Amino acid sequence: MHQHLLRVVGPVVKFESLIAALRQAGERFGWLEYSADLESDTGLESDKDLESDAPTASTESLNVAAGLGALRAVAIGGGQAVAVKPMRGAPVLHDVLREYYRGCQLVLVVGDVEAPELEPDADHWMITVSGQPARRWTTEKLVAALRKPAPWG
């Protein structure tokens, strides 16, 4: 199995038709809200305060992703991960993918990561790889391409 990371903008519901097609094909997907920012969003000063405080990320979007069938829905940033896991230092994307998304054919990630960008385009999908023109895909062809090791060329 090959795992693919696609950067997205907007709520998970924008990708609902692709998610449904993936699930119908027996594939798994994950939803990741990723920030390599070391600064905490809590405004608290000490590590002790950070450890005792609840995560700052909203779980609403994670609940929606889980409701759509995500194998994992995770938010990471500000020194914490939601499925609550305190973190020291900046998260390493490769480690996050290995830890949380093993078994996922596709991980849709909101955040500043180096990955092709996925955008809905009417009843199609646009994938833009850095330095290349965008390519338009039908849902069926995109799901089939995700079974390949390097579908974007």
Side-chain angles (χ1 to χ4, degrees), residues 1-3 27-28 101-106 146-147:
M1 182 201 65
H2 305 284
Q3 184 179 71
E27 305 295 349
R28 298 186 218 172
Y101 297 101
R102 184 167 295 195
C104 290
Q105 187 78 13
L106 175 64
L146 291 169
R147 293 188 177 111

Side-chain angles (χ1 to χ4, degrees), residues 30-50:
W31 179 258
L32 173 60
E33 297 175 13
Y34 181 85
S35 172
D37 186 9
L38 287 175
E39 295 296 317
S40 171
D41 298 324
T42 63
L44 300 173
E45 296 295 323
S46 73
D47 284 346
K48 181 177 165 104
D49 287 338
L50 282 175

Side-chain angles (χ1 to χ4, degrees), residues 6 17 26 29 92 125:
L6 292 174
S17 64
F29 85 99
V92 177
W125 302 96

Side-chain angles (χ1 to χ4, degrees), residues 127-151:
I127 294 187
T128 307
V129 177
S130 181
Q132 298 179 15
R135 288 182 54 197
R136 194 168 191 233
W137 301 74
T138 65
T139 300
E140 295 77 25
K141 286 188 178 187
L142 180 54
V143 169
L146 291 169
R147 293 188 177 111
K148 299 177 182 176

